[in-house]
Amino acid sequence: MHSGAYTREEQALSEQLVKARLEAMVPKEFPGRLPADLEQAYGVQAASIAQWPDEVVGWKVARLTPGDRDRFAQERLAGPVYRSTVQAVASGSEIITQIYDGGFAAIEAEVVLELGQDVPRDFDTAKDSDLAGLVAKAYCGAEIASSPMPFVIDLGATSIISDMGINAGVIVGPEIADFLSLSDDALSVRVTVNGEVVGEADPGPVSGSPFDALRFLIDHCHARGIWLAKGSLVSSGMITGVHDVTVGCKARVDYGKFGWFDVAFEPIGRK
């Protein structure tokens, strides 16, 4: 298991992927040999985290496609969330976020969890009640997924994991008050892009899929020697789908009675 260690080949691929992100450069093809398995992909990710000029303050979690679930015998994947890409937004407000122009870009409505304590090294994830004790707050949120590579999704899980989990930001919207005591049908989510409804769903309780994502992330991080500290954010996976966006468009993420926010998109420049 990777715990910050990576091979020379993983380091070399990481350097190319990081360069593309830093220079906002759209590559014509994957810049090296595609990792053969998830361990190699997470090795590339670890090398990229070590190089990236920012601090990890959380993690995104996403489901693998059915084909990749069968191939790798794994349900979910993880990628880092960096401090400079986290934005808070009040209900009824608009924020501007950045994506790779010419690359892949999407918005996903996601419940964002905030940890209220450090996760012990020997934490047992079996019980939802124990997971609940770790979570201080839950928010109406969204993940901004973007990569310089327009084909990153087509290449599958190892491509996505290698490229920072294709995370480009997390939006922390209105808090979901008393999230543990809500009824199963309390949350209702709709996403529109340029005024057109692109997805809507009733995701069920926060203690459902979001807690499953947290369970996966804790086990994943412990296996790799990664510490999950108090205040860490967990973007827990798409609710209504992966919705393509482009520079200049506007999306609305609406959580019904809990609030809504608008997101406008501008291009990421060279760093």
Side-chain angles (χ1 to χ4, degrees):
M1 293 293 185
H2 285 285
S3 56
Y6 33 84
T7 67
R8 193 170 295 177
E9 182 179 7
E10 291 163 355
Q11 170 75 25
L13 175 54
S14 165
E15 289 173 356
Q16 294 302 309
L17 292 169
V18 167
K19 180 180 179 182
R21 281 182 166 257
L22 290 174
E23 297 183 358
M25 176 181 63
V26 178
K28 294 181 179 179
E29 58 187 13
F30 194 79
R33 186 167 65 180
L34 191 67
D37 56 37
L38 300 188
E39 287 307 308
Q40 289 180 12
Y42 282 119
V44 176
Q45 186 183 107
S48 296
I49 290 171
Q51 295 179 68
W52 196 253
D54 203 348
E55 177 188 4
V56 175
V57 295
W59 297 85
K60 62 83 56 81
V61 177
R63 289 181 183 272
L64 275 66
T65 63
D68 276 344
R69 282 179 227 160
D70 292 342
R71 178 184 174 190
F72 298 115
Q74 181 61 265
E75 183 81 10
R76 289 174 166 87
L77 62 81
V81 174
Y82 293 103
R83 182 176 297 281
S84 67
T85 67
V86 175
Q87 295 177 275
V89 61
S91 181
S93 299
E94 177 180 317
I95 59 167
I96 299 172
T97 193
Q98 296 184 326
I99 55 176
Y100 289 99
D101 194 14
F104 169 81
I107 187 168
E108 304 171 30
E110 304 195 3
V111 170
V112 176
L113 305 176
E114 180 182 342
L115 299 185
Q117 64 181 72
D118 298 344
V119 179
R121 303 286 187 184
D122 59 350
F123 185 83
D124 186 346
T125 60
K127 296 181 180 179
D128 282 354
S129 58
D130 292 335
L131 289 173
L134 295 176
V135 180
K137 295 180 180 180
Y139 300 94
C140 305
E143 182 196 358
I144 307 303
S146 192
S147 166
M149 298 184 290
F151 46 78
V152 64
I153 297 289
D154 298 335
L155 296 179
T158 59
S159 167
I160 294 167
I161 292 167
S162 296
D163 191 27
M164 304 282 200
I166 63 171
N167 179 260
V170 167
I171 298 170
V172 181
E175 183 178 351
I176 303 172
D178 301 319
F179 65 92
L180 287 175
S181 60
L182 295 177
S183 63
D184 289 358
D185 60 354
L187 282 177
S188 179
V189 186
R190 173 184 290 184
V191 179
T192 61
V193 176
N194 291 338
E196 179 181 352
V197 176
V198 293
E200 48 191 336
D202 299 325
V206 173
S207 59
S209 183
F211 271 29
D212 288 340
L214 176 60
R215 178 178 288 110
F216 159 78
L217 182 66
I218 292 171
D219 291 340
H220 167 83
C221 288
H222 282 179
R224 288 161 175 78
I226 298 170
W227 183 44
L228 289 171
K230 178 181 178 179
S232 294
L233 299 176
V234 181
S235 196
S236 62
M238 66 179 187
I239 297 171
T240 64
V242 179
H243 310 302
D244 292 342
V245 293
T246 56
V247 169
C249 74
K250 183 182 291 186
R252 174 166 293 185
V253 182
D254 189 340
Y255 280 80
K257 67 180 182 181
F258 294 98
W260 59 269
F261 52 86
D262 286 344
V263 185
F265 299 91
E266 65 180 23
I268 292 176
R270 291 172 60 99
K271 296 185 183 295

